[in-house]
Amino acid sequence: MIRVGLTGGIGSGKSTVARIFAALGIPVYAADTASKRILARADVRAQVLSLFPEIEADPDFSPDSFLSFTRALARLVFPSPERLAALNGLLHPLVFADCEAWLEKQAHGDGTAECRPPYAVVEAAILLESGLYRRMDRIISVECPVEIQIQRACRRDGVTEDMVRARLARQWSAEQRRPYADFVIENDGRQSVLAAVLAIDRQLH
């Protein structure tokens, strides 16, 4: 089974691409969703609170609310590259292990070759930055002009342009991702994303 990494900056449309692959019957692992699921575990939350005890001083923090925990955590770590690196140092190995277990499960299916997919997709915003790409056989990069990314992210998340630009600054640019990509999907609204996904699907089969 081929391991395919799918990445792209905020607002690039990688989640849309992931949904198309899923509609084609291809297994898709969403690393961002997995990260939230892992962070919700009591043991991991305890480790995070031990690493960042300042979270409990946040005026909106409630020990019984996971949402308030994640919001307080975001306010604490995202403005600080050092704190963000420390959080990633805790979470990334857990996500990598979870992803590896999922990939192994997909590769074995129910024990018959007929039920094993030809490939599986791992969707991750920081696939390259985190090093997860090293576990992949092929890489797909979803790209679009930065101004379109900003418009989409502002509309989708209800945030300001400055907030989106700050997140973009922490991600690799399309130019940095392109040398790692086996396939590039242009999602600028002028080309068919569906056609691009179908073309990649044919090649991976």
Side-chain angles (χ1 to χ4, degrees), residues 128-190:
L128 300 173
E129 296 93 320
S130 67
L132 183 57
Y133 76 94
R134 296 187 182 94
R135 298 170 183 239
M136 303 296 114
D137 301 308
R138 302 286 187 278
I139 303 294
I140 301 170
S141 177
V142 183
E143 300 180 2
C144 74
V146 171
E147 293 307 316
I148 295 178
Q149 287 183 254
I150 293 170
Q151 291 171 15
R152 288 174 179 165
C154 288
R155 185 168 58 246
R156 181 193 66 198
D157 300 336
V159 295
T160 66
E161 179 177 332
D162 286 344
M163 293 171 70
V164 176
R165 288 191 181 277
R167 291 175 65 181
L168 281 169
R170 293 192 296 268
Q171 298 178 347
W172 284 16
S173 67
E175 290 73 21
Q176 289 172 300
R177 289 192 302 269
R178 192 175 281 262
Y180 293 84
D182 299 284
F183 307 100
V184 174
I185 295 177
E186 298 285 354
N187 185 24
D188 56 8
R190 294 181 297 177

Side-chain angles (χ1 to χ4, degrees), residues 25-131:
I26 300 301
V28 176
Y29 179 92
D32 292 347
T33 301
S35 181
K36 291 182 178 70
R37 170 171 50 79
I38 290 168
L39 189 58
R41 284 170 26 191
D43 62 321
V44 177
R45 287 178 67 177
Q47 291 180 66
V48 172
L49 285 170
S50 176
L51 191 62
F52 305 114
E54 308 97 309
I55 290 174
E56 296 184 273
D58 189 288
D60 296 325
F61 174 74
S62 168
D64 300 321
S65 169
F66 178 65
L67 181 60
S68 77
F69 166 72
T70 56
R71 286 178 173 172
L73 177 63
R75 282 192 286 268
L76 182 69
V77 303
F78 283 131
S80 167
E82 294 79 14
R83 286 177 176 149
L84 183 59
L87 178 63
N88 288 340
L90 171 63
L91 287 180
H92 285 173
L94 299 174
V95 175
F96 285 16
D98 187 73
C99 180
E100 188 65 33
W102 180 87
L103 285 165
E104 286 297 319
K105 183 178 179 180
Q106 304 309 313
H108 289 93
D110 65 356
T112 62
E114 292 79 7
C115 291
R116 287 196 291 270
Y119 66 96
V121 173
V122 174
E123 177 202 353
I126 55 172
L127 183 85
L128 300 173
E129 296 93 320
S130 67

